[in-house]
Amino acid sequence: MKIAAVLTCFNRKEKTLNCIKKLMNQRRDIDIYVCDDGSTDLTSEAIQELYPEVKIIKSTGGLFWSKGMFQAMKAAVVNNYDFYLMVNDDVDFYDSMLDIMLNSYKISSENCAIVGSTQSVISKDLTYGGSVLKTKWNINKKMLLKPNGEIQKCDFANWNCFLIDNFTVDHVGLIDNKYEHGIGDFDYSCQMKKKEIPIYIATDYVGICERNPIKNTFQDHTLSINKRLSLLLSAKGLPIKSYMRFYWKNYKLIGVPFCSWMYLKMIMLIFLKQKS
């Protein structure tokens, strides 16, 4: 069985090295592909020294997450693996992670994807994983599902830990590299749904990953209105080009008003100095 782990990184060397170490600790052989998006903290050099077998795809910067994952995934699929494991480098994986993911895939008895759930190190609360929509069109109205010992079907998958088989890659392709940073993982979930390829949540938690803090983001109501508006439209916020692309690509005309309402609501909350 051939398995490739795919990730992208930028200037968080210690987290990237720990992620690679934890991937190496899995009880199966994994080929690792890392896109380094122009790190200046010697991430690539440290990887080459400690893990010379890791395949590094270097960029001069500006790819952000979706484009970085596209480059690493593109390099991996050339070698025609049985499975591709998409990960974020800030996840501290349990040594049983890959066994849990592969066993969950086996339970499904079909071509599918498996999303691994992560939890907080202190509270043990669910932080990332698979979610179901609470309302049909609004991706901001979704609920994460907790692992319960069985596989559970979901609508969207965070790519903190996401296992797809060769069948899925053959039918869906690579992650869309037109997105400015995030939402490429949710777009991939939509593309899988169009191809009638299901996504299941793994039976148990696969690692530790804290939620991204809201400090110094557009959700930080202690910042000025102008600063929050700037962050809202930045690549790491809710860039209009990316979100309009997502809603148009996946929902066509009916998605436009929902996308527009999302921005209107966010801007109203910012002006009201409330947490959005």
Side-chain angles (χ1 to χ4, degrees):
M1 181 187 300
K2 294 173 58 180
I3 305 171
V6 177
L7 63 147
T8 187
C9 67
F10 177 71
N11 277 355
R12 47 185 189 184
K13 178 172 65 176
E14 296 308 318
K15 287 186 177 181
T16 303
L17 292 175
N18 181 67
C19 179
I20 293 172
K21 176 183 176 182
K22 291 305 178 73
L23 290 171
M24 294 287 191
N25 285 347
Q26 303 302 310
R27 292 184 285 271
R28 299 173 189 267
D29 291 333
I30 308 176
D31 290 340
I32 301 175
Y33 293 77
V34 180
C35 177
D36 184 350
D37 190 23
S39 295
T40 58
D41 63 352
L42 303 179
T43 297
S44 289
E45 290 79 0
I47 295 172
Q48 288 176 335
E49 180 179 353
L50 294 172
Y51 307 105
E53 65 271 43
V54 171
K55 287 78 172 173
I56 302 174
I57 300 91
K58 289 190 176 182
S59 168
T60 56
L63 292 180
F64 291 94
W65 185 79
S66 285
K67 292 182 175 68
M69 290 299 289
F70 173 85
Q71 292 298 332
M73 194 176 179
K74 180 182 177 182
V77 299
V78 170
N79 293 308
N80 195 32
Y81 289 88
D82 299 303
F83 292 97
Y84 300 87
L85 180 68
M86 311 301 163
V87 301
N88 277 4
D89 66 352
D90 59 348
V91 182
D92 190 9
F93 288 112
Y94 301 140
D95 289 346
S96 58
M97 175 270 291
L98 192 55
D99 284 341
I100 292 170
M101 298 291 283
L102 289 171
N103 287 338
S104 298
Y105 179 86
K106 184 177 180 180
I107 291 170
S108 75
S109 299
E110 61 182 325
N111 294 112
C112 67
I114 302 295
V115 54
S117 302
T118 61
Q119 56 190 155
S120 169
V121 67
I122 298 174
S123 67
K124 302 302 180 182
D125 289 340
L126 172 64
T127 53
Y128 295 99
S131 55
V132 292
L133 285 176
K134 297 171 71 175
T135 60
K136 186 173 182 180
W137 305 109
N138 192 346
I139 63 170
N140 292 313
K141 297 291 184 180
K142 58 188 182 299
M143 178 181 66
L144 284 168
L145 295 177
K146 292 183 179 180
N148 64 3
E150 300 178 357
I151 60 171
Q152 305 170 73
K153 188 172 287 189
C154 63
D155 297 310
F156 291 103
N158 295 127
W159 278 24
N160 301 68
C161 184
F162 187 61
L163 182 74
I164 56 178
D165 55 18
N166 199 306
F167 177 89
T168 300
V169 173
D170 286 345
H171 288 77
V172 180
L174 307 180
I175 187 173
D176 190 333
N177 71 337
K178 301 298 183 183
Y179 292 109
E180 292 153 274
H181 178 54
I183 210 170
D185 49 359
F186 285 0
D187 175 78
Y188 204 88
S189 298
C190 290
Q191 301 310 305
M192 288 185 63
K193 187 174 183 178
K194 291 177 182 177
K195 299 290 185 178
E196 299 183 342
I197 304 173
I199 303 172
Y200 294 100
I201 296 169
T203 55
D204 202 353
Y205 289 101
V206 298
I208 297 293
C209 186
E210 302 299 331
R211 292 290 303 182
N212 290 326
I214 65 170
K215 185 176 176 60
N216 293 323
T217 71
F218 72 89
Q219 294 178 301
D220 186 351
H221 64 286
T222 66
L223 300 177
S224 69
I225 289 175
N226 286 341
K227 182 63 174 178
R228 291 184 70 189
L229 289 173
S230 176
L231 290 169
L232 174 68
L233 301 177
S234 68
K236 291 188 176 182
L238 303 177
I240 292 177
K241 180 180 177 182
S242 290
Y243 277 78
M244 281 295 185
R245 176 179 180 81
F246 174 84
Y247 274 98
W248 177 258
K249 180 179 177 182
N250 295 295
Y251 302 109
K252 301 304 179 186
L253 283 175
I254 200 170
V256 174
F258 286 94
C259 185
S260 301
W261 168 243
M262 177 184 72
Y263 282 104
L264 179 60
K265 180 182 177 182
M266 292 292 181
I267 291 170
M268 288 171 60
L269 290 173
I270 286 173
F271 274 97
L272 289 172
K273 287 279 187 175
Q274 294 178 359
K275 186 185 295 185
S276 54

